[in-house]
Amino acid sequence: MNIYEKMMSIDRRILFVLIALSVIIPLLKPLLLPINVTKEAKHLYEFVDELKPGDVVLLSLDYDPSTMAECHPMALSILRQCFSRGIKVIVTSLARPEGLGTAEMALTQAAKEYRKKNGEDYVFLGYKPNAAAVVLAMGENFRLAFPNDFYGSDLENIPMIKGLKNYKNIRIVVTVSGSAIIDTWVIYAGGRYGVPIGAGVTAVMATDYYKYLQSGQLVGLLGGLKGAAEYEKLIKHPDMATKGMDGQNIAHLMIVFFIIIGNIGYFLGKKAKASKGMGG
Amino acid sequence: MAIQFFIPHQISLEVYRGALDWLMIIAGFTMVLGIGSLIIHHTNKLKHQGEGWGYSVVTLLGLVVMAIAGVRGMGIDTPFMQIFIYAQNPIQATMFSLLAFFIASAAYRAFRARSFVATLLLLAAIIVMIGRVPIGAKIWPPIRDISNWLLDYPNMVAKRAIVLGVGLGMISTALKIILGIERSYLGGGK
Amino acid sequence: MNKKLQTRDKGCLRWWILPLAALIFLLALGGGVWAQSPGDTLPPSPPSGVTAFDTPNDAGRNITIDWQLSPDDVRGGKTVKGYDILRSESQEGEFEVVGSVVAGISTFQDDKVDNHKGYFYKVKAKDHLFSESEIVGPVETSGQWYNTNRTVVLIFVVLFTTLVIYFVSSAKKGKKLYVRPIPGMDAVDEAVGRATEMGRPILYILGLSTISDVATIASLTILGRVAKKVAEFQSKLIVPCYDPIVMTVAQEVVKNAYLDAGRPDAYDESNIWFLSQSQFAYAAGVNGIMLRERTATNFYLGMFYAESLILAETGNIAGSIQIAGTDAVVQLPFFITSCDYTLIGEEFYAASAYLSREPKLLGSIKAQDWGKLGLITLIILGGFFASLHIDAFVNLFTVGH
Amino acid sequence: MHISSSIGIWIAAFLTLFVYSFLYKDNPFYKFAEHLVIGLSGGYYIVTVWTQILKPKLFTPLLQQGNLILIFPLILGLFMWARFIPKYSWISRWAIAFTLGVGSGISIPSVMQAMIIRQIQATMLPVGFHSYIGWMNLFIIVGVLTSLIYFFFSAEHKGFLGVSAKIGIWFIMIGFGATFGYTVMSRISLLIGRIQFLMTDWLGVLH
């Protein structure tokens, strides 16, 4: 076996270990490479940053466990930004019933950090099927879509909701989503009721939603783990996404390295074979 | 049903919703058919004590436990959701993350610059992979803009052309089914 | 747009409109002048020019109310906080609030009405005091039978249907139609031959979708041709299935192909079986087959998801000839990099026609090509007009709801 | 550094490790997790199909509200099951034909609208030679046209058509490269998510 063949026949398990290490080591020993902030993330941050204490934001955590890796850090960052500035938050989760668990996790964690009280500083409305109908109903009145909050209290008895009727009392809707539900928000809540919309989506989806940025239908957009890390940087509260970003960096480099090694082996091996063929 | 699209009238809307419901009901039965053949497959294995019949017990148990848990409702605190959160979801999420490893292995073994077009593909992939993470801008700043440009223009253009072609293909297949020209879904018997 | 006031008595529909509009206009004007005295002790000026009409292009049960903003409703201005919309079933009857909007908005849709029943409306501008507009009505709603917003879709569908029918019927009459060679499909014979020589089986994957997916249908057609070749060459064909219905259909397709090839005796139903309906379990199962049976050729034709990479990479390692085709755009790059031939999107649909040479399938390919030519022309025209800033052409293609 | 005391987290962590053990090679632990998830997802489907579809759409209206027309989809659904009995499997053709027929009918206008008309409208862009956007719009139009020409089947790819189709396939390949790149990104993020779960929620070595 010559060197080229060796280069082309590394056991796949070695590759697997390398990939795993390129994620694990940066997590343990963060390099904290600088993260450049895109203008899409900055616009969203600035919009929320300009709100006054007491303003209300509707945050819809429309993702489920399968896209949690990318969406969860975004949700936490936005909640932290709101809570740290005294902005009140209404939370819904409209994509799938499985999303209830992840939404509640994010909300309770952020609320604990900032000692915020359910019913006074935030409300968790929960999930109802048929997102389009729910988004439209909330345009008329929150009580129409959600007579009770997630924990079963009557909306009339929740202090924070008093005086809030529909999107007109909301400064911005932010949807963090792993699915096409973002279209529903943009078309119905944004298009029909004129409320500004911001969004956080997975990396795969991000390219599909630039169109809404250009047309001004979205205030800002966070794309994938990178977008989440950008937001963590903006609110100066680095967390999971920032730590994960190092892993993402190194793992991407590792894969590119594999492609190059594989191709060098392939070409040199072909050349060697060709010259041998001529000799024989 | 194609005609319905152009008729906003209530009656037409009800026909449409009705048909959608019917399709869903039939799909429901088909789903049961799939689960039925799953159960038959595994009970057969059990009966013959075939290789790995123990795993069939696991499958059948999982199925029964989940179905029974579902009887008690689907809220966050129910056993159904708990099993979902702590068993079904981690396994599924982990299986998807296995792809990260397979991509690495495929990158090393399969992605060869065999031809000019394959080289184009590889280069675009590498640029996007590096350009989309912070370290890329550190190594070579313009790569970020290049990768964004690739995503915004050539990527969008190619997708649009494919979608146009696929769209026409889908419509003509649908027409052929309605006109009774396409019958291969019935098994090709003439 | 058929915005119109509809009355209970359809016969007197037309002459109604003008006097009514004029009356509303005059009254509103008068009201506006009367109310336009400043000071906070006075109510805001009422909204004017209220119109109510059956919302067009819908299923009925919806009335749109439009009005002009109260003169006191100015951005950053003082008084008007919003409007209430009131409805009654008779002109003198009790009006009830059916909705309200904030200042600056001048339209409302009332969707809590019944069809074929007259309604009266008025709009109330409010701050801490309020003033009401004139009453308008009666208006009634009904569902419309044709959605004018969708005319352009109808035109496209009709044109394309005509094309398909024309070319299919002319192909049936025996007109020769050319189809360009499609990479991979010419290799089918060779691949099957190679498998026979090596004494190894051929693996055919129909994708991971249901029978109603276009990709699955195209794949079944190709399966028929491949199976016929396999029967002629007396090779072995393995088809592990993901969907039980697709499986039973595939069995019939292969059985018929063996019949066509004159070798019904060689057909073995146990080679086409249901593997699993779980994505990763299916992928793992197929991987096992590829490595154990050392398949000579693998076909991956149909709808694929994330498992495409696992399948194609394993086949690549096993050294099989691989032919893939799908309309799943996200999966295509993985196939392209690890398969010998990959059919992209529509190419995959066309392959079934190319292989089978059936005139009716070829006819529809021809129709699709003409369709594409039409699209290209429209894009060029559209680009041309848009460059000249003539937006009317581009707007022709806007489809409303 | 606190190892989790929640039983659920421990179960989830072990199942995660079971699945990763497949990377070394196929083994009983992986098989256990794999068979478990097949069973669980089967059960999950049964519950969702029943609570979301069959009960609200079929049995409640049929039995309690006497909506007798729903007997037809019930029968068609049962026809599907005829596939189980080889002798009567032809009956299921009716159900398949109905499903496909109605499905095709519904799809034609919506595909025409979403995949064709909206897409060509978005391509009708103003071309200009004095601005970046103007040039890029020209680029988009040329790109879409040449890529579409690649999908011409009834004419030989020679001469002008050949050149266009060749440029078209370049566009398509670059597009696929980009898709590939960000698919990698997503998958790596998922992996990071799982490893963070193991290291944070379970072992507590990170916080």
Side-chain angles (χ1 to χ4, degrees):
Chain A
M1 190 186 269
N2 62 30
I3 177 140
Y4 313 120
E5 279 165 12
K6 255 187 208 145
M7 254 172 108
M8 284 179 71
S9 59
I10 302 171
D11 190 280
R12 61 197 282 160
R13 280 160 221 167
I14 296 174
L15 304 178
F16 292 165
V17 170
L18 286 176
I19 283 290
L21 288 179
S22 67
V23 171
I24 292 171
I25 291 176
L27 277 176
L28 289 171
K29 287 229 171 302
L31 306 164
L32 295 177
L33 291 164
I35 291 158
N36 56 302
V37 176
T38 55
K39 59 177 188 299
E40 300 95 76
K42 201 155 180 226
H43 287 165
L44 181 60
Y45 169 80
E46 281 167 355
F47 193 101
V48 179
D49 203 52
E50 278 163 19
L51 300 182
K52 292 186 286 294
D55 280 345
V56 184
V57 167
L58 194 149
L59 179 61
S60 198
L61 303 178
D62 305 321
Y63 60 93
D64 64 1
S66 67
T67 49
M68 191 175 163
E70 290 171 271
C71 294
H72 206 62
M74 296 179 195
L76 276 174
S77 295
I78 294 165
L79 281 168
R80 280 175 180 144
Q81 185 188 14
C82 292
F83 284 161
S84 70
R85 306 197 64 261
I87 296 163
K88 300 186 177 203
V89 188
I90 299 176
V91 178
T92 56
S93 175
L94 301 182
R96 309 182 57 172
E98 291 98 306
L100 278 172
T102 45
E104 204 202 359
M105 274 160 69
L107 190 54
T108 43
Q109 186 185 336
K112 222 163 138 192
E113 285 170 13
Y114 292 90
R115 305 219 177 104
K116 294 291 177 184
K117 283 207 187 76
N118 178 25
E120 288 173 24
D121 306 300
Y122 67 89
V123 188
F124 184 28
L125 295 180
Y127 166 83
K128 283 270 169 352
N130 192 352
V134 178
V135 169
L136 281 174
M138 285 199 291
E140 300 303 323
N141 196 326
F142 295 128
R143 290 153 189 87
L144 217 62
F146 295 96
N148 302 309
D149 79 348
F150 176 71
Y151 306 102
S153 330
D154 194 322
L155 243 55
E156 296 306 326
N157 301 330
I158 297 175
M160 193 193 121
I161 288 284
K162 280 217 175 91
L164 297 184
K165 192 170 174 217
N166 50 34
Y167 297 135
K168 279 158 204 136
N169 308 112
I170 300 287
R171 302 306 296 270
I172 182 173
V173 172
V174 181
T175 163
V176 179
S177 154
S179 67
I181 200 168
I182 168 172
D183 291 307
T184 312
W185 282 108
V186 169
I187 293 165
Y188 294 119
R192 205 140 164 185
Y193 294 98
V195 61
I197 312 273
V201 299
T202 59
V204 173
M205 288 164 60
T207 46
D208 292 341
Y209 288 100
Y210 278 103
K211 58 183 183 197
Y212 287 143
L213 274 178
Q214 282 157 3
S215 55
Q217 287 163 287
L218 278 181
V219 173
L221 182 71
L222 308 179
L225 198 63
K226 164 101 191 310
E230 289 169 27
Y231 216 79
E232 287 178 356
K233 184 178 176 187
L234 285 166
I235 63 162
K236 302 193 183 65
H237 192 309
D239 196 26
M240 300 298 259
T242 310
K243 286 176 198 154
M245 221 45 228
D246 285 336
Q248 189 103 36
N249 274 318
I250 306 298
H252 280 212
L253 286 187
M254 191 61 93
I255 288 177
V256 171
F257 176 70
F258 289 160
I259 294 180
I260 294 171
I261 290 280
N263 274 294
I264 292 177
Y266 171 70
F267 277 110
L268 294 184
K270 217 163 68 173
K271 230 184 209 167
K273 224 183 238 165
S275 59
K276 219 191 256 168
M278 262 186 275
Chain B
M1 289 318 294
I3 299 163
Q4 185 279 331
F5 185 80
F6 305 101
I7 307 171
H9 197 275
Q10 188 70 32
I11 294 170
S12 131
L13 207 66
E14 265 154 27
V15 169
Y16 176 70
R17 286 196 190 128
L20 279 188
D21 281 354
W22 282 32
L23 285 186
M24 271 163 74
I25 292 167
I26 297 174
F29 278 92
T30 320
M31 205 102 93
V32 177
L33 186 72
I35 291 163
S37 53
L38 185 80
I39 295 173
I40 290 173
H41 179 76
H42 285 287
T43 41
N44 272 344
K45 237 179 171 178
L46 265 184
K47 248 188 239 152
H48 304 124
Q49 307 265 306
E51 199 186 335
W53 62 273
Y55 299 120
S56 298
V57 178
V58 175
T59 300
L60 292 173
L61 260 176
L63 191 117
V64 171
V65 167
M66 199 66 170
I68 291 174
V71 175
R72 307 239 340 244
M74 294 168 73
I76 184 90
D77 283 326
T78 56
F80 182 77
M81 253 319 150
Q82 295 288 317
I83 297 176
F84 177 82
I85 291 174
Y86 291 116
Q88 187 178 344
N89 173 57
I91 301 178
Q92 280 173 343
T94 312
M95 284 195 160
F96 265 94
S97 78
L98 282 181
L99 284 170
F101 293 102
F102 289 118
I103 281 186
S105 157
Y108 166 66
R109 266 188 297 207
F111 298 167
R112 298 282 147 76
R114 286 197 191 88
S115 60
F116 176 67
V117 284
T119 315
L120 278 181
L121 191 150
L122 277 186
L123 283 179
I126 290 175
I127 290 172
V128 169
M129 253 188 273
I130 297 183
R132 298 294 279 182
V133 290
I135 207 168
K138 197 100 193 158
I139 299 170
W140 189 51
I143 201 166
R144 247 188 71 220
D145 296 329
I146 299 176
S147 87
N148 283 343
W149 183 85
L150 279 178
L151 285 173
D152 287 352
Y153 293 102
N155 174 48
M156 193 265 285
V157 159
K159 275 198 182 151
R160 191 167 283 167
I162 292 172
V163 162
L164 285 173
V166 166
L168 285 180
M170 281 178 147
I171 296 170
S172 86
T173 310
L175 281 173
K176 283 186 283 179
I177 288 171
I178 293 175
L179 299 172
I181 298 170
E182 177 70 75
R183 307 183 69 94
S184 61
Y185 62 90
L186 294 176
K190 276 157 205 163
Chain C
M1 299 297 253
N2 48 357
K3 288 190 186 183
K4 55 189 169 193
L5 281 160
Q6 291 194 349
T7 64
R8 214 172 303 181
D9 182 3
K10 294 235 160 132
C12 57
L13 178 75
R14 303 207 181 269
W15 67 264
W16 238 98
I17 303 173
L18 275 175
L20 180 75
L23 189 71
I24 292 169
F25 182 72
L26 285 175
L27 284 172
L29 205 67
V33 169
W34 170 76
Q36 209 165 27
S37 27
D40 253 22
T41 49
L42 287 173
S45 316
S48 55
V50 179
T51 53
F53 51 88
D54 183 11
T55 309
N57 293 322
D58 70 349
R61 295 193 185 162
N62 197 315
I63 292 175
T64 303
I65 301 103
D66 284 347
W67 60 91
Q68 259 137 43
L69 296 178
S70 157
D72 289 336
D73 180 0
V74 248
R75 190 177 282 259
K78 36 185 182 134
T79 51
V80 175
K81 291 212 177 71
Y83 301 91
D84 282 342
I85 293 89
L86 297 93
R87 180 187 68 201
S88 169
E89 290 180 25
S90 70
Q91 195 144 13
E92 299 78 29
E94 202 141 292
F95 278 81
E96 50 166 345
V97 178
V98 289
S100 39
V101 295
V102 289
I105 305 261
S106 62
T107 181
F108 178 79
Q109 287 192 356
D110 182 6
D111 56 2
K112 291 178 190 65
V113 291
D114 288 326
N115 283 342
H116 312 297
K117 204 169 169 187
Y119 291 99
F120 296 87
Y121 285 92
K122 58 183 175 184
V123 181
K124 191 157 83 174
K126 53 176 184 181
D127 50 8
H128 57 283
L129 297 165
F130 56 83
S131 64
E132 291 177 355
S133 75
E134 283 307 307
I135 296 167
V136 293
V139 191
E140 51 177 66
T141 68
S142 60
Q144 279 87 44
W145 284 105
Y146 177 68
N147 188 341
T148 48
N149 287 337
R150 291 179 173 170
T151 305
V152 57
V153 183
L154 182 65
I155 294 172
F156 270 69
V157 171
V158 168
L159 282 178
F160 189 64
T161 309
T162 319
L163 276 177
V164 170
I165 294 175
Y166 172 74
F167 280 106
V168 167
S169 61
S170 76
K172 266 189 191 158
K173 279 182 205 136
K175 200 174 165 213
K176 280 260 177 294
L177 295 171
Y178 171 83
V179 172
R180 76 160 160 92
I182 290 172
M185 287 301 108
D186 287 327
V188 166
D189 285 8
E190 182 205 324
V192 175
R194 180 172 170 255
T196 318
E197 275 169 33
M198 292 162 76
R200 292 195 201 157
I202 288 165
L203 179 71
Y204 197 104
I205 310 286
L206 285 156
L208 276 75
S209 190
T210 58
I211 188 76
S212 45
D213 200 312
V214 179
T216 313
I217 294 173
S219 185
L220 282 166
T221 312
I222 301 178
L223 174 65
R225 311 310 299 179
V226 172
K228 199 173 161 198
K229 277 272 147 5
V230 169
E232 283 164 6
F233 279 91
Q234 305 188 22
S235 192
K236 184 181 165 191
L237 179 70
I238 309 176
V239 189
C241 293
Y242 176 82
D243 181 284
I245 304 263
V246 174
M247 173 194 76
T248 50
V249 176
Q251 286 174 341
E252 283 177 51
V253 167
V254 175
K255 201 169 161 183
N256 281 319
Y258 273 72
L259 257 171
D260 276 358
R263 302 192 43 84
D265 50 305
Y267 172 68
D268 181 1
E269 194 163 278
S270 67
N271 283 333
I272 301 160
W273 78 102
F274 174 75
L275 184 61
S276 167
Q277 202 150 22
S278 158
Q279 188 186 14
F280 282 89
Y282 182 81
V286 173
N287 276 357
I289 296 166
M290 285 194 269
L291 297 174
R292 268 197 316 275
E293 304 258 352
R294 294 168 60 233
T295 49
T297 307
N298 304 331
F299 290 91
Y300 311 107
L301 301 172
M303 182 70 200
F304 289 89
Y305 302 93
E307 71 294 330
S308 64
L309 170 74
I310 303 176
L311 298 178
E313 202 227 337
T314 312
N316 187 289
I317 296 167
S320 320
I321 290 187
Q322 305 205 90
I323 300 175
T326 182
D327 52 5
V329 179
V330 180
Q331 306 308 331
L332 276 164
F334 300 112
F335 280 136
I336 288 174
T337 42
S338 47
C339 292
D340 300 83
Y341 303 98
T342 306
L343 308 173
I344 301 163
E346 201 191 358
E347 217 176 11
F348 162 50
Y349 304 154
S352 60
Y354 178 73
L355 259 192
S356 68
R357 298 265 155 209
E358 262 183 71
K360 45 199 183 180
L361 294 183
L362 290 175
S364 78
I365 295 287
K366 191 89 187 162
Q368 277 160 246
D369 273 2
W370 278 97
K372 265 168 281 177
L373 195 66
L375 295 184
I376 288 177
T377 321
L378 285 177
I379 289 174
I380 292 175
L381 279 176
F384 178 74
F385 282 117
S387 306
L388 297 176
H389 303 290
I390 301 170
D391 292 332
F393 184 79
V394 179
N395 291 338
L396 281 180
F397 299 93
T398 307
V399 180
H401 289 285
Chain D
M1 270 210 204
H2 291 294
I3 292 187
S4 171
S5 55
S6 144
I7 300 174
I9 299 269
W10 274 84
I11 295 175
F14 269 98
L15 290 173
T16 302
L17 292 176
F18 282 5
V19 175
Y20 279 139
S21 72
F22 179 71
L23 291 172
Y24 180 68
K25 67 180 208 200
D26 202 2
N27 64 65
F29 294 111
Y30 173 75
K31 282 213 181 95
F32 173 82
E34 182 198 319
H35 282 83
L36 182 65
V37 84
I38 296 174
L40 291 178
S41 62
Y44 191 86
Y45 273 131
I46 293 179
V47 174
T48 39
V49 166
W50 175 252
T51 58
Q52 309 290 319
I53 303 173
L54 293 184
K55 193 169 159 227
K57 302 259 181 216
L58 178 65
F59 290 109
T60 309
L62 183 66
L63 301 176
Q64 282 168 22
Q65 295 153 15
N67 194 347
L68 290 180
I69 200 161
L70 287 173
I71 286 180
F72 290 104
L74 174 68
I75 292 173
L76 283 171
L78 290 173
F79 276 8
M80 278 288 186
W81 288 6
R83 282 275 159 191
F84 273 139
I85 315 154
K87 212 169 146 193
Y88 297 105
S89 74
W90 56 269
I91 294 178
S92 67
R93 284 184 176 192
W94 288 35
I96 295 176
F98 174 81
T99 314
L100 277 180
V102 174
S104 306
I106 291 176
S107 75
I108 291 175
S110 24
V111 169
M112 193 55 108
Q113 182 189 345
M115 292 175 85
I116 309 283
I117 296 176
R118 199 170 290 164
Q119 296 293 329
I120 61 165
Q121 193 187 24
T123 315
M124 297 173 177
L125 297 164
V127 172
F129 301 104
H130 304 295
S131 68
Y132 173 72
I133 297 287
W135 278 102
M136 280 303 120
N137 286 344
L138 179 66
F139 181 85
I140 290 175
I141 293 177
V142 170
V144 171
L145 295 187
T146 51
S147 306
L148 259 185
I149 286 172
Y150 174 77
F151 292 108
F152 265 92
F153 300 105
S154 58
E156 235 174 312
H157 283 179
K158 275 201 285 201
F160 172 71
L161 226 51
V163 174
S164 307
K166 204 162 205 173
I167 297 173
I169 196 77
W170 294 351
F171 273 106
I172 292 171
M173 285 299 166
I174 294 174
F176 283 155
T179 308
F180 177 85
Y182 64 74
T183 312
V184 169
M185 184 152 175
S186 255
R187 304 287 183 242
I188 298 278
S189 299
L190 262 179
L191 172 64
I192 291 171
R194 291 319 293 164
I195 289 186
Q196 279 180 335
F197 162 77
L198 287 178
M199 290 167 73
T200 312
D201 296 335
W202 181 44
L203 293 177
V205 288
L206 289 174
H207 11 223

